[in-house]
Amino acid sequence: MTEPFRAIRVSKTDSGQKAELVQIGLDDLMEGDVTVAVEYSTVNYKDGLALTGKAPVIRTWPLIPGIDFAGRVETSTHEGFKPGDRVVLNGWGVGETHHGGYAEKARVKGDWLVKLPDSISTAHAMAIGTAGYTAMLCVMALEFHGVTPDKGDVLVTGAAGGVGSVAIALLAKLGYRVIASTGRASEADYLKGLGAADIIDRNELSGPARPLGKERWAGAVDAVGSHTLANVLSMTRYGGTVAACGLAQGMDLPGSVAPFILRGVTLAGIDSVMAPKAKRVEAWSRLAKDLDLAALDRMTSRATLGNVPALGEEIIAGRVRGRVVVDVKA
């Protein structure tokens, strides 16, 4: 008989749902060919939606949330992994339809896992998490579409959040001049410390957009959507690219085709959940090379498994800065 272990489980209730710390066993986990001793997880905006029920992220009940985890393989029948391998998981429906990272153990398909580069610890992997991995995919998309540092400024919206914070650090290290958009004026020093050259108030971008605005940036990383994305597109320079990866303001896009047909702007959609394995491996390899771990540490706070339900509320309310590493053993 295996020893029980701790997990955060979300269950339906008469009034909605509840997230609680419980004891479970290996038999409570779902199918998979790799079992991982989870060392760290994190709290992304999507996790906040799942924990609070603010959006229908969870589609299997009851469920262990957590769309990310990092740890070491305990057992494996998958040809690509052996006990002791350090691995990371991002997405693939984990924390939505399959038990996720808010537990001391996880059982998943090996095809969903990526071996961690030697230079990235399991703790740093979760300081990066889906937010940072998504930021890297955004930067890769800008590069693919020809947005180089000499083309002009790059805007990052939702700058004090997880995606925004890592995107700023990555872009700054790669030589881009970064403009950070935030609704939290008090975070200006934090954002400049990550490498932002200028700070603008998100209110400049949050209202209804004109079909075309003044050309202000060569590219952008947008985690906000809705009116903000429409404004960002309208102010993107000729031939520029906007990488869109989030919906903090909304899922709608109340804009115009003008930026696309008059300025040749590209809107690059970024999906981190179902991204193919080769792209994931490339992103993690780039993170190992291009992310300043000291900058990562400056944007990271620590939490325990028991803190997770409250953090879900905090991140939805916009009160979480940067990244949070959850030590599931603490």
Side-chain angles (χ1 to χ4, degrees):
M1 183 175 176
T2 59
E3 290 290 322
F5 53 91
R6 298 177 308 145
I8 297 291
R9 186 171 60 199
V10 178
S11 307
K12 281 189 172 179
T13 67
D14 291 340
S15 58
Q17 66 178 58
K18 67 176 178 179
E20 57 187 341
L21 187 63
V22 298
Q23 293 273 343
I24 63 171
L26 283 173
D27 290 344
D28 295 306
L29 297 179
M30 295 178 176
E31 293 184 358
D33 50 12
V34 180
T35 301
V36 177
V38 178
E39 296 175 2
Y40 297 97
S41 187
T42 184
V43 181
N44 300 286
Y45 189 81
K46 192 172 188 179
D47 294 313
L49 294 173
L51 288 160
T52 61
K54 301 289 187 185
V57 171
I58 295 177
R59 298 190 294 278
T60 300
W61 300 88
L63 195 78
I64 299 167
I67 65 173
D68 290 328
F69 64 76
R72 294 179 185 271
V73 172
E74 280 196 338
T75 63
S76 172
T77 57
H78 188 285
E79 63 182 5
F81 299 95
K82 65 183 185 303
D85 284 345
R86 299 182 320 114
V87 294
V88 61
L89 184 143
N90 310 107
W92 290 119
V94 170
E96 299 179 63
T97 59
H98 192 98
H99 286 325
Y102 296 151
E104 293 179 291
K105 296 183 189 295
R107 186 188 294 134
V108 297
K109 293 181 180 180
D111 289 344
W112 297 347
L113 297 169
V114 171
K115 288 183 181 178
L116 274 175
D118 291 341
S119 61
I120 299 180
S121 68
T122 52
H124 274 142
M126 286 298 95
I128 294 167
T130 282
Y133 147 69
T134 301
M136 188 72 251
L137 292 177
C138 290
V139 172
M140 289 161 56
L142 295 181
E143 292 174 339
F144 178 81
H145 289 285
V147 180
T148 50
D150 61 298
K151 296 292 178 61
D153 295 348
V154 173
L155 174 75
V156 176
T157 67
V163 172
S165 293
V166 179
I168 291 168
L170 283 168
L171 289 163
K173 187 176 178 184
L174 289 167
Y176 293 85
R177 186 178 186 278
V178 182
I179 302 172
S181 168
T182 182
R184 297 183 252 176
S186 60
E187 302 291 13
D189 288 343
Y190 162 75
L191 296 170
K192 288 180 178 178
L194 296 179
D198 281 336
I199 314 293
I200 64 173
D201 192 301
R202 70 180 178 199
N203 289 331
E204 290 188 38
L205 305 172
S206 60
R210 296 163 57 190
L212 286 175
K214 180 182 178 181
E215 296 179 67
R216 297 178 63 178
W217 34 74
V221 173
D222 177 63
V224 180
S226 191
H227 291 291
T228 297
L229 177 54
N231 275 293
V232 171
L233 289 164
S234 77
M235 300 179 195
T236 299
R237 291 182 180 177
Y238 189 94
T241 295
V242 177
C245 65
L247 45 71
Q249 187 178 12
M251 290 185 68
D252 58 332
L253 182 53
S256 163
V257 298
F260 310 122
I261 64 175
L262 297 179
R263 288 185 181 160
V265 170
T266 296
L267 176 58
I270 306 299
D271 167 55
S272 61
V273 177
M274 305 302 290
K277 182 75 169 276
K279 185 171 282 190
R280 292 167 182 267
V281 171
E282 181 185 0
W284 279 97
S285 175
R286 288 287 305 274
L287 284 160
K289 181 179 69 172
D290 294 331
L291 181 59
D292 182 346
L293 293 182
L296 183 65
D297 288 338
R298 288 196 296 273
M299 70 178 79
T300 303
S301 59
R302 292 291 187 114
T304 66
L305 201 55
N307 299 143
V308 164
L311 281 168
E313 298 281 355
E314 291 291 300
I315 198 166
I316 295 301
R319 293 192 291 266
V320 173
R321 181 176 79 177
R323 303 289 298 129
V324 179
V325 172
V326 177
D327 185 345
V328 302
K329 300 293 186 184

